[in-house]
Amino acid sequence: LRLSRIGSYEMKPCPVRLSALFGEIAEPYGNDFNIHIDIAEEDEVIMDTDAARIIATNLVSNAVKYRDSTRELEIRISAGRSADAVTVCVEENGRGIDPADIDTIFKLFRRVGTQDTSGEGVGLTFVRRVVERIGGEIWCESEAGKGSRFFVRLPLNAEDTNRSEAA
């Protein structure tokens, strides 16, 4: 239901400091896992705070959820800035994804790999729709057994996002 409403949700853009957001999302996991955040203080975007939180929460929680139980989890969150966007990378040394399955992970109700964790297969679909709604992009690079890198390109200014998906 939340997924179907994203097109009509009224975004309320405001400054979002990415280092603070990811720090807040990662903080509860900090004592159990190695999470390194390498995002400059000035890496800030104008976007809806709830949308930013959905993106960050899903990427960090998926990194924890799909960890490889045979090694200590390492998560590195970094960002790079261009003239019109900030690209965030959430990299982990978890289970990884077979490259042939990467497109599938963004499809509704589709999960890949071993199914030993709870989930419905909607998280990354929701994140993708939110990212696209603000004019950004999301993609993944991964190899089974070696971990994954999720990239999210966020426009510096997503103020013009209060239009329906049909517009």
Side-chain angles (χ1 to χ4, degrees), residues 128-148:
R128 184 186 70 199
R129 295 243 178 112
V130 169
V131 168
E132 289 174 350
R133 168 83 192 276
I134 64 166
E137 303 175 70
I138 183 170
W139 68 97
C140 175
E141 297 173 354
S142 188
E143 186 176 339
K146 304 229 174 164
S148 302

Side-chain angles (χ1 to χ4, degrees), residues 51-160:
R53 186 169 302 286
I54 287 166
I55 294 164
T57 299
N58 189 277
L59 294 179
V60 172
S61 66
N62 275 359
V64 171
K65 185 177 191 178
Y66 296 106
R67 64 187 175 271
D68 184 328
S69 62
T70 65
R71 62 180 169 259
E72 187 174 355
L73 178 63
E74 299 261 346
I75 301 172
R76 180 164 306 281
I77 304 167
S78 58
R81 187 181 183 116
S82 67
D84 63 348
V86 173
T87 301
V88 176
C89 176
V90 177
E91 180 176 7
E92 38 78 1
N93 66 339
R95 299 177 187 180
I97 304 162
D98 186 307
D101 289 332
I102 288 177
D103 287 339
T104 303
I105 63 173
F106 294 104
K107 293 181 181 173
L108 188 58
F109 304 127
R110 300 295 299 272
R111 298 176 71 201
V112 300
T114 304
Q115 300 305 309
D116 61 351
T117 61
S118 64
E120 298 170 350
V122 296
L124 286 173
T125 304
F126 194 57
V127 168
R128 184 186 70 199
R129 295 243 178 112
V130 169
V131 168
E132 289 174 350
R133 168 83 192 276
I134 64 166
E137 303 175 70
I138 183 170
W139 68 97
C140 175
E141 297 173 354
S142 188
E143 186 176 339
K146 304 229 174 164
S148 302
R149 286 183 306 280
F150 282 85
F151 298 90
V152 181
R153 186 188 150 284
L154 303 169
L156 291 178
N157 189 343
E159 285 195 73
D160 186 25

